[in-house]
Amino acid sequence: GSGFYHVRARHLGFTSAEITTDLAKNGHVDLKFELKARPAMLDSVIVEANGKCPPMSYGGFNCRRRNGKGVYLTDDDIGDKGAIELGEVFEGIPGFRTEMRFTQYGRRPVPIATRGNRCINALVNGRPLSVTNPLPHYANELIAVEIYATPSDVPAEYQRYVWMGSARQSTAILERFIPDESCSVVVYWTSY
C-alpha cells in the first residue's frame, strides 16, 4: 500500500545504504542505491596460549563476542537500531542512557553510564582516544562496537582502561566525582 517505507541495501564487501521512500503515487517507485566498497576487514590469525583475544585488531571483537560479558553490536545491528548519532547506539543497552548535550558539533545525544562512577571510557580500534585516534562522529562509521557497562565485565586486555581518565568519553553530571573510581568501557571499531 501507500505510505513511507525505509529500504536498506546491503552487500558483502560494501557499506550499506538506506533510502526512505513514499509509495503514495501508483505503488511503484524506482530506487537507485550507490554502495561504496569497504576494504576487507580480515585480520591475520593470531593464536595465543593464554586465551586472551587480540586487543588492537578487529579479530579480537569476534573472539571476545564468543565468551565475553559485554554487548557486541555489528554494523548490521547498529543499522537495525536506526542509529545515526554515536549516542543512539546506546539506546536500549542496559546500564546506559543518552542525554542531549552541547558538543563541538552542536547539540548531540551523548551516552551516559548509569552504573558505578557513571562515566564511559572509550577506545577506538583498541586504542585510547587521542588527537590522532578520535571518536567517530556518526554511527555509520562503525563496523562494530563492544560495550561493557560494568567495569568488572571488561575483559583482561582492556582492564587498565577502566581507570584511564584521558580516555573519558562522557561523565554524568554529579556533585562529587571520584577520579580513581572505575568507569564503563566502550570499544568502537571503525572503517578508518
Side-chain angles (χ1 to χ4, degrees):
S2 69
F4 283 95
Y5 290 85
H6 200 64
V7 183
R8 183 184 317 144
R10 304 190 288 211
H11 187 67
L12 201 58
F14 293 84
T15 59
S16 61
E18 298 184 40
I19 297 176
T20 300
T21 185
D22 182 7
L23 277 184
K25 301 172 183 68
N26 58 2
H28 177 85
V29 67
D30 290 318
L31 301 176
K32 183 180 177 187
F33 289 91
E34 194 173 323
L35 305 183
K36 295 186 180 93
R38 175 165 40 201
M41 294 305 295
L42 299 176
D43 256 329
S44 50
V45 176
I46 303 164
V47 178
E48 294 189 37
N50 67 4
K52 273 191 187 177
C53 302
M56 306 281 191
S57 63
Y58 178 66
F61 169 83
N62 290 314
C63 173
R64 283 181 291 280
R65 184 164 65 161
R66 281 192 289 277
N67 49 22
K69 293 180 183 159
V71 173
Y72 302 86
L73 303 174
T74 64
D75 55 350
D76 284 340
D77 299 326
I78 293 163
D80 290 346
K81 280 177 114 66
I84 294 166
E85 299 284 348
L86 201 60
E88 293 170 344
V89 170
F90 293 82
E91 306 256 335
I93 305 278
F96 297 90
R97 63 181 173 80
T98 57
E99 202 174 85
M100 290 304 283
R101 287 194 179 169
F102 284 100
T103 70
Q104 64 193 67
Y105 307 104
R107 220 166 121 77
R108 297 295 235 339
V110 172
I112 305 293
T114 58
R115 298 181 183 160
N117 207 24
R118 298 194 177 122
C119 48
I120 300 173
N121 287 350
L123 304 173
V124 177
N125 299 324
R127 294 169 181 82
L129 299 179
S130 68
V131 173
T132 56
N133 194 44
L135 269 179
H137 299 306
Y138 294 103
N140 67 0
E141 296 174 70
L142 299 172
I143 53 172
V145 64
E146 303 174 40
I147 303 171
Y148 304 98
T150 308
S152 60
D153 289 348
V154 175
E157 53 269 36
Y158 297 133
Q159 250 320 300
R160 69 182 179 274
Y161 298 116
V162 162
W163 289 279
M164 184 178 271
S166 62
R168 193 74 23 96
Q169 177 180 354
S170 67
T171 307
I173 298 162
L174 295 172
E175 308 77 57
R176 66 184 180 92
F177 175 72
I178 305 135
D180 59 352
E181 196 173 327
S182 56
C183 296
S184 303
V185 172
V186 177
V187 186
Y188 296 104
W189 295 98
T190 67
S191 48
Y192 53 79

